[in-house]
Every structure is written in C-alpha cells, then in structure tokens.
Amino acid sequence: MGKKAFARGLLISLLFGYISFVMIPLYVPRPPFVPGFAPPPDMWPRVVSLLGMVLGLLAMFFSIYGEVRSKGRVPDSPDEENFHWTRSGVIRFVLTLLVFGGFIALVPWLGFLAASIVLLFVCFLLAGAAQHWKKGLVLSLLLPLALYYFFSHVTHTPFPQGSWGVSSLLQ
Amino acid sequence: MWNDLLFAFQSVATLTNVLAMSVGIFAGVIIGAIPGMTGTMAVTLALPFTFYMDPVSSILLLVALYKGSTYGGSISAILVKTPGTASAACTVLDGWPLAQQGKAGKALNMALISSCIGDFFSNISLIFLAAPLAILALRVGPPEYFMLMIFALTMVAAISGGSLLLGTVSACAGLLLATVGEDMYGSFRFAFNEDMKNGLSVAPVLIGLFALPELFRLIVFRDGNSGQAMKLGDNRLTLQEIRGSLKSIIRGSFIGVVLGAIPGIGPSAAAFFSYGEAKRTSVNRDNFGKGELEGVAASESANNGCCGATMIPLLALGVPGDVITGVMLGAFMIQGLTPGPLLFQNNMNEVYMLFIGMMFSSVLLFGAGKITARFFTHISHIPQVLLVPVVLILCIFGIYSISSSMFDVMVLLIMGIFGFIMLLLNIPPAPFLIAFILGPMVEENLRRSLAISRGDPSIFFQSAISWIFAAFIILSIGVTIRREWQKSRNKSPQKTA
C-alpha cells in the first residue's frame, strides 16, 4: 500500500508538473495586451497546476511518513480498494481501448448506427456475456436501432450515415 | 393574496393543466432515470411543443419535467451507479452501496420522500421568500462569489472518498479541465483543435466519469456482480429510519432553497453541500459512503429543494439560475411573458397559477415516483454483463444527440478511461466533477475581483459576507484535517498492537 501511495503521489506531481511547465507555456498563450488590471489567462491554470503538483509531493511525503511510522505492519489506508490485475484483465483492458478507438474510426465508414451495433456486441463479449450471447446479439441489433429511430425522429438528430452505406441498409 | 391564490387554484385545476403536469412529471422521471438523458435535454426537447399551449400550461409542463428529471436521476444512481443527472451524482455515494446490500427499495423510497419534501419546501419558499432572497443574492459580488465557490469546493473535496488531499487533487484536475477553451477575455487555452475552442461540455465529462468506469471494471476485473441481479430487498422504510433522516431532509431542503436561489450554483453543489453537512453532523457519519440512508436523504432533499428556488431569481429578477431555467426564460418569452419585477405587476394571476401548479406537481411527483420506481426496478433483474454495455450505448446516443458532435462522444470515452484510472488510484471523482462545473465561475469571479481591486487580494476580505465564507472554509478544512488525524491515530501501530 505504501508503494502504491508513493507511486500515486509521484504520478500526480508529474502530471501537474508537466501541465505547469510544459503545456501551459505551449498552449496558453498570453495576449500582447490584457485590458486594465485583469490577470492574464495563464494565471489561473498555473495556480491550480502548481497546487496540484504540491499536493502530489505531499502525497509522496505522507506515503513515506506513513510507511516509516507503521513499519510495514499497518496499511496506509485500509479503506482503499485494491484491484488484482490478471494477464487476461490487461488484455481485455487494451482490447476495450482498441474497441473505443475503432468505434470512433469506423463511424465515418460504417455510419453511427452500424458502428454502435458492432461496439455494443463486442462490449457484451468483453464484459463476459458469452453465456447470454443470443440476448446480447438481439439487444445489439434492436437497442441501437430503437435509439436511432427515437433520436432521428423526435429530436431530428442528424447521425453520420457512413461512406459504405451500411447504416442506410439497416434503416 | 389568499383570494388570488384561491382563484389561481381554480384556474390551475383544469384538465389541460393537470395533464401537462402529469405528462411532465412522468416523462421527466423516465428521462432523468436514463443515463445520458439530462433534465436540460428533457426541458429543451419539450420547448417546441409549448408553442401550441397556453402560457401557464406550458410553463407548468417544463417545471414538471425539471422536477421529475431531478428526482429521476436518483433512480439510476441507486440501481446502476450511474447518475441520470448531474444533481444525482451525490446520491450514488450511498445509494449504490445500499443497493449492493439489497436495500435498493429503501434507498429509492428515501430518495422519493426526501425529493418530495425538498420540493414542497422549495415551493413554499418560492411563494413567500422570492423577493427577500433575490435581493440578498443581488448583494453578492464577485469577491463574495469567489469565496462561496472555494467554500463549496473545500466541502466537496472533504466529503468524498475520505481523504482531503486526494479530494483536493481531484478538484484541481477538474478546475484545470474547466479552463479548456475560450476564457472571459477571448484567449484560447489548451485548444488543440476547433472543437476544443468552445470548451468541454458538462454532459460527456459527467457521464464519462461516472458511467464508463463501471464498464471497464466489469470488463477488466469481471467483478461487477456478473450475471447477478441486484436484489431490491425490503423497500418499506421504518418510522425510525425516516425520523433518523428527518433532520438531514429539513437541512437539505433549506440548503437547496438558499443555494438554488443564488444564480449559478444549482442542485449539484447543493446536494454535495447538504451531504457534507449531514456527514459532518450525523451520529452515523462513519457509515456515510458505505450505504447510509441519511446520505441519500440529504442529497435528494437538497437537489429537489433547488427546483422551486432556481425560479426565484428567474421570476423576481429575470435572471436564470441554471441552464434549465435559462431554457424556461425562453419559454416565458415565447409566451409573451417577461420574467422580472414587472411580471409581478402585470401578470399576477399567471404568477399565482404557477405557484399553485408547482405545489400540485410536488404531489404528482410522489405518485409518479412510486409508480415509475416499480417499473425501473426491473433494471435490477437484468444481468450486469448485459446492462452495463447497454448503459454505454445509451450514453453514446444521448451524448451525440445533444449537439450532434462526435467530439463529445470522444470526450465521453476519454473521460471514461480517465475515470477508470482515478478508480484504480482511489482518487474520488465527485470533487473533479463539481470543480469542473464550478470552475469557470470560480475563475471568472477571481479575475473580475482582481481586476476591480487592481490586483489587490485584500478585496476578498473587505465585506462581512466574505469573512463569513472565509471562516467556513477554515472551519471545513480544520474539521477534515482533525478527523483525518484522529483516523490516522486510531490505526497507528500503538493502537492496533
């Protein structure tokens, strides 16, 4: 737990430090003229990111302090939830990221409706609904279709049709 | 006044008005309960239909939708750990653990009772306190506003997850994300593409942060009660349980009314504030976050307590308190009514009819809540391996339909990944969300105050209201540090040995 808390503090301070010293100078340009005595646009993000970095360092300090004080006998935070990663869990996590990326990439080709059907069915399988695959398949077809019709007709939402015309065939 | 109210009661009790309110309440509860469908969306979608209705019926329909969706958000918050609306985010903290313990029915009933009491209290306040509260809100300037927001943020950081440090880190991340886009003087910050120049919308950030980590958790760890239906259990609340939560309900209703009457704060902040106060003062404070009915009561009474109160600045000053009342302002204009002091002079009958209609809709909310909760409890019989991916698709369609933007869908998915990383690191997401919502207001009031004072920070300590908020901030941080210190002493080697 001490190691986890230390790593968490390190990650927090690195993230906020990166924002403060790399991203803000690059992506928060100061205008040549700021009206009156108004603070410049980078003031607030800089204050917040520096505060975040200090808090990360504090988290690291407390993790070391807690470890020394407990001498390894008592966990830092017994209330904290622990997650046990497995090899298959990591693979499923990476696959989910790829599926999300694939959905965004496929919408211009397959259209919103067909891409949603594929996304839903793959998510069912990844979530472990293999024993309910028939229900999953029916839901994957019917739910996106129902939502598509609802939003197209009630709110007149213009969904991307996709250049391959698959979504048009499904309608 | 009483004669006017009696006349208004007779005018409201027509079939059209009752039908408008009933449809509004039922549709609002259903829409609010669907993750990804917000109250704002419900009110906005109904706006075109009000063109064909008379002024009072149309406003009553929108108000009923607002109230219904505010309560409806709690249903999915309790049953599937996904707040249907932003204001129900706080209800998840205790509603979901209660559902896991087989007490979803109790949590739903407590949410309904608290919502109705909060709503009723809010309506009474609207009728009797509209003018004085609106005047008070007018006196709050940028420095006081800034102090109030910081107080709200310290409260939120302190209440969620148990660690002030991690809560504050979460709030800092939310404040930073809120700076994306155009600032108050027209500078673009972190605008990596054209879409980001407009900033990030609340809906995809909220839904992504709260709904999608559950999907990841289910996929990666396969521990989301896979295939097991959530049991409703005994849904009857005992008199003792209601009595135990009554103090929090009344306090939550009051907080909802006060914060709802101040433009911009809204039901989300009120719910978190009320929850924090309930946690701080309750005898069961250690049980908060683990399935405490009082937590559900505090959150729900406050968010519904805002519903009537947000109408106070709208009706008395013509200032919308939040996005929904902003849409309602448009509805008033369409109907030829101009909210503001003149409304009370020129359209007194309509104002009284609105008051009576709002009271009546509180009663309807109770009935609708009872009926629809039974219907929505069927969600609990769906295996979670089927339900969670369905929630993902509902969210994707809901988010896309708001502004027909694939960028918002991308934000939703990225926030889901970010939310999952926060879950892995035990960083609470609630302070992030509330900081993201309040962020633009915090910065605007800070920069405006410093511009007024020519860079002198003493402006934040020049009025009594500022000092009161400063004292609250110190008190809130002090109490939290003391509590954490005591907790750390209790688990020290000497004590545990």
Side-chain angles (χ1 to χ4, degrees), chain B residues 422-440:
Chain B
M422 287 175 79
L423 182 79
L424 294 175
L425 294 174
N426 292 108
I427 297 173
F432 180 98
L433 174 72
I434 207 75
F436 179 76
I437 294 171
L438 293 182

Side-chain angles (χ1 to χ4, degrees), chain B residues 244-277:
Chain B
S245 301
L246 203 60
K247 204 172 148 189
S248 289
I249 294 174
I250 292 168
R251 185 177 42 226
S253 306
F254 181 74
I255 289 170
V257 166
V258 174
L259 294 190
I262 301 173
I265 294 186
S268 307
F272 277 105
F273 186 26
S274 165
Y275 183 85
E277 276 304 296

